[in-house]
Amino acid sequence: MSTAGPPQGAQHRSAQRGGLAGRRIDCDLLVVGSGASGLSAAVTAAWHGLKVVVVEKAPVFGGATAWSGGWMWAPGNPLAKRAGIHEDPQQPRTYLRNELGPHYDAARVDAFLDNAPAMVAFFEQHTALQFVDGNGIPDIHGQVPGAATGGHQLIAAPCDARTLGALNKQLRPTMRETSFLGMPIMAGADLAAFLSMTRSAKSFLHVTGRFLRHLRDLALHGRAMHLVNGVALVGRLAKSAQDLQVQLIASAPARRLLLEQGRVCGAVVAMDGGETEIRASRGVVLAAGGFPHDTARRQALFPRTPTGHEHLALPPESCSGDGIRLGEAAGGVLATGLASPVAWAPVSRVPHADGTVGHFPHIIDRGKPGVIGVLSTGRRFVNEADGYHDYTAAMVAQAPAGEEVCSWLVCDHRFQRLYGLGHARPFPLPVGPAVRSGYLQRGATIEALARACGIAPAALAATVQEFNDHARRGEDPAFGRGSTPYNRKMGDALHRGPNPCVAPIEQGPFYAVKVLPGSFGTFAGLRTDASARVLGADGAAIAGLYAVGTDMASVLGGCYPSGGINLGPAMTFGYIAGRHAAGV
C-alpha cells in the first residue's frame, strides 16, 4: 500500500470543533453525510488538494454503511484482474442492459463501470482503505445474458481499531442483531466458518480463536477491536479522511443550503447549540443516506405501505431524507419512475431482553437446504435462494390483499440446530429463549406450527409434503431452487445431497419466524448526471450541487442485479464527485 500524500502544493487546514456555533467556516467542499459515498467524495477531493468539511447529523460517523455487509459491486476491479479474471468490459453492460431494460441509463452506467476500477485502484494506492476480493460470488440472476460467475465483488479488509486511535469511538458500532456479544462476523469465509463450526475442526478452531480474541478486546477496551464489513469500510475511509486533514464534525445536521446567483456555495449547519455557516467554494455533496426513515415519503412511494409505518428499515434513524429535501429546496428533482423505489430486504423483529426491538435481515438462511418461505395461505411464492430483494418484492406482490404483508420461514429442528433461523442462533446456543420471547414459533407437527403462526394448516402440510417429495431427490420443480450459481453459493457446500439448496423438512419439532418487508435503503433519489451533479426540472445541472449514495437516484434504475450494488455505485460516484469538484 502506498500512503503517498496528495499532489504537490495541496494545502489542508483543520478547524477545531469547539466554539464554532454562530461562526463561519470556509472550505472548498462540504459533504453532508459520513457513509461510504460521502467519505469517498471527501477523501478523493482532499487528496486532490481541496479543503473538505464533512458534517454528520448523528453523534457517530458511518451512516447506513456501518450497519451493512460492506460488499461492493465493482466489475473489472484490480483484485479480480490480479486473480486472473479478465472480463470483457461489455459483459457487465450486457448484463445490466438485460436486467434494467427500460431503466438502463447509458451515460450513468458507463460512468459507473468506467470509473469503478479506477476508484478501487485509487483507494488501494493512496489511502488506508484496502480490500479483500469476493471473486467467488456470482451475480444474482445467472440465467440472464452477461451474468458473471465471479470477479465483480470486493469488501474492505478487516481493520484493527487500534490503528484508528480516538476515531474508533466516534464510529457507529456494528448492528447489534448481526453480531454476537458485540463481535462482528465478516461476510465470506469468516461467516462460513461460524456456520460450519460443528462439522469442521478447522472452522471450530477459527471460531474459538476469534471469540477468545474478542473476549480479550472486551476486557481491555470494552468493545470490538477487530472491525469487519461496513464498519471496517467506514473506519478505513474515516482514517484516510483524517490523514488528509478532512474536518469531520458529528451531531451537525445541515439545515439549509446557501445559494448565490444560482450556485450552491455552502450550507447552514446546526452545531453546538447554534447555527454555523459553512462556505464551500467548490460546492456541496449530498450524501445523507436517502429516506428510509421518512414515513411520509415511504407512504407516498412504497407499495402496500398505507401509513408509512408498515416497513422495517435497516439503516439508522438518522437516514430520514435530509439530503433529498435540501436538494429539492435548491431546485433538484426526485426521480420516482424506477423499477422499485426501495432496496428491499426480508426482515424479522427481534425482541431483546431489555425490552427493545431490533431488526434482523434474512440474507443467509433462506438459501440453506431445509427451509421454505410461505405466505399466510401456506403456499410457497418464490425461489427462496434468490436475492433478498427478489424475495421481498415477491412477498409484497403476492401477499393476500387486505392482509398484513408478511411471510414465514419454516424449517425443522435439524435445520435450526445446524444453521440457525434468523436471529435464533444454531447449536451450541440454545433455541429456547427465541421460542419463549415469541421470536420463533414452534410446533410438534407442521399443522400445530401453522396454527401458532396463523397459517392455513392443511395447505402448509400439503406444501411441506410436496416440497419434501422432490427435495429428497434434490429437486425443486416449482421454483428451480439451486438452479443458478448464485443459488448454489447461498446454499451449503457441505450438504451431502445432490442440491446444496434443497433438503426435506421432516424432523420435528418445527420452527417458523415471521418475516416482514424491510430495506437496506432507498432507490428513489435526486436526478443526477454522469458527474453526480444534481439536475433541475429543466434537466440542467445545478451549479455546485452533487448527490451520491442513496441521495442520488439509483444508477441501476431501481433494479437489484447483484449483491453490493448499493455500495459499489456509492463509492464510485463519491469518487467521481470528488474528482469533479477538484477539477480533475
Side-chain angles (χ1 to χ4, degrees):
M1 178 189 73
S2 169
T3 55
Q8 187 67 29
Q11 294 182 357
H12 300 269
R13 301 177 300 277
S14 178
Q16 298 301 309
R17 174 65 198 272
L20 292 177
R23 292 175 52 189
R24 168 172 162 169
I25 301 174
D26 291 311
C27 65
D28 297 316
L29 187 68
L30 172 63
V31 178
V32 179
S34 65
S37 64
L39 290 176
S40 174
V43 171
T44 302
W47 192 88
H48 284 96
L50 300 192
K51 179 186 177 184
V52 183
V53 174
V54 175
V55 294
E56 166 58 52
K57 175 182 181 180
V60 288
F61 300 114
T65 302
W67 281 359
S68 75
W71 286 106
M72 292 160 270
W73 195 65
N77 69 77
L79 283 79
K81 291 182 177 178
R82 290 199 294 267
I85 301 173
H86 297 282
E87 181 181 57
D88 182 343
Q90 292 309 311
Q91 182 173 338
R93 286 174 170 81
T94 298
Y95 181 53
L96 293 182
R97 285 193 189 95
N98 285 288
E99 279 280 294
L100 276 54
H103 302 287
Y104 187 87
D105 180 341
R108 292 202 305 152
V109 168
D110 283 348
F112 167 54
L113 293 178
D114 290 345
N115 283 278
M119 176 274 293
V120 175
F122 167 78
F123 281 101
E124 269 199 315
Q125 295 167 18
H126 303 301
T127 77
L129 177 54
Q130 301 296 288
F131 302 95
V132 174
D133 74 67
N135 289 333
I137 302 175
D139 291 331
I140 290 176
H141 302 130
Q143 72 280 10
V144 174
T149 56
H152 285 174
Q153 306 271 359
L154 44 77
I155 191 170
C159 177
D160 184 346
R162 296 166 187 80
T163 66
L164 304 180
L167 185 61
N168 181 41
K169 293 186 178 180
Q170 297 177 277
L171 302 181
R172 185 180 297 280
T174 300
M175 190 175 180
R176 177 180 179 182
E177 288 72 30
T178 57
S179 61
F180 177 65
L181 296 179
M183 179 178 66
I185 301 171
M186 186 174 179
D190 192 32
L191 176 59
F194 276 83
L195 291 177
S196 62
M197 63 175 291
T198 61
R199 295 176 288 165
S200 164
K202 181 179 178 181
S203 294
F204 180 80
L205 290 174
H206 172 84
V207 171
T208 301
R210 283 272 280 115
F211 188 57
L212 290 176
R213 288 190 293 273
H214 177 65
L215 292 179
R216 178 200 62 193
D217 290 341
L218 288 180
L220 296 177
H221 304 282
R223 59 191 292 149
M225 301 300 283
H226 181 75
L227 307 183
V228 298
N229 303 339
V231 179
L233 177 58
V234 169
R236 287 179 172 275
L237 283 169
K239 178 65 164 60
S240 302
Q242 190 177 68
D243 290 345
L244 290 164
Q245 299 182 41
V246 172
Q247 186 180 359
L248 302 170
I249 308 175
S251 300
R255 297 300 191 201
R256 57 189 180 276
L257 296 177
L258 299 173
L259 288 91
E260 291 182 355
Q261 298 179 340
R263 179 179 181 84
V264 174
C265 58
V268 174
V269 177
M271 46 195 294
D272 292 338
E275 290 189 339
T276 296
E277 186 177 278
I278 302 180
R279 289 273 171 171
S281 61
R282 301 292 182 95
V284 175
V285 178
L286 300 175
F291 62 94
H293 285 282
D294 183 337
T295 54
R297 218 181 284 266
R298 290 195 319 216
Q299 180 184 19
L301 297 178
F302 289 11
R304 302 188 70 170
T305 311
T307 71
H309 294 282
E310 301 85 352
H311 185 79
L312 304 184
L314 292 167
E317 291 187 4
S318 56
C319 300
S320 56
D322 291 1
I324 292 174
R325 286 190 292 272
L326 290 170
E328 288 177 316
V333 177
L334 184 72
T336 58
L338 291 82
S340 170
V342 54
W344 291 118
V347 179
S348 55
R349 288 194 178 97
V350 182
H352 292 298
D354 60 7
T356 62
V357 177
H359 297 161
F360 183 89
H362 291 263
I363 308 306
I364 302 300
D365 50 3
R366 296 172 296 101
K368 297 293 183 284
V371 65
I372 57 173
V374 299
L375 300 173
S376 63
T377 59
R379 298 298 183 185
R380 292 174 67 205
F381 59 99
V382 72
N383 177 344
E384 297 90 346
D386 273 349
Y388 32 85
H389 180 85
D390 299 332
Y391 181 95
T392 313
M395 178 171 66
V396 171
Q398 298 183 50
E403 292 187 12
E404 177 188 27
V405 177
C406 69
S407 67
W408 295 84
L409 290 174
V410 176
C411 71
D412 65 7
H413 188 70
R414 177 203 64 85
F415 180 98
Q416 201 288 324
R417 294 287 73 200
L418 190 58
Y419 305 112
L421 184 61
H423 191 257
R425 311 300 191 190
F427 179 84
L429 296 178
V431 68
V435 175
R436 289 190 291 273
S437 73
Y439 178 71
L440 291 186
Q441 296 297 325
R442 180 165 62 188
T445 65
I446 288 292
E447 291 85 353
L449 178 68
R451 287 189 289 271
C453 298
I455 301 171
L460 181 60
T463 294
V464 171
Q465 180 176 340
E466 180 184 2
F467 178 79
N468 287 350
D469 289 343
H470 297 290
R472 292 186 186 97
R473 299 188 296 273
E475 299 170 355
D476 179 25
F479 292 99
R481 189 157 146 189
S483 61
T484 67
Y486 180 84
N487 277 188
R488 293 189 287 276
K489 185 69 175 179
M490 294 299 103
D492 179 9
L494 298 178
H495 178 56
R496 294 180 179 178
N499 187 330
C501 301
V502 174
I505 302 169
E506 53 191 358
Q507 296 181 14
F510 302 94
Y511 300 91
V513 61
K514 186 177 184 180
V515 176
L516 299 160
S519 71
F520 289 112
T522 46
F523 281 150
L526 295 168
R527 293 188 185 278
T528 59
D529 65 10
S531 298
R533 296 179 297 178
V534 176
L535 303 178
D538 60 357
I542 299 171
L545 186 61
Y546 304 87
V548 295
T550 47
D551 280 354
M552 70 178 282
S554 164
V555 68
L556 301 183
C559 299
Y560 214 107
S562 195
I565 59 91
N566 291 312
L567 286 179
M571 287 290 297
T572 302
F573 279 96
Y575 169 78
I576 289 171
R579 284 172 55 85
H580 190 276
V584 179

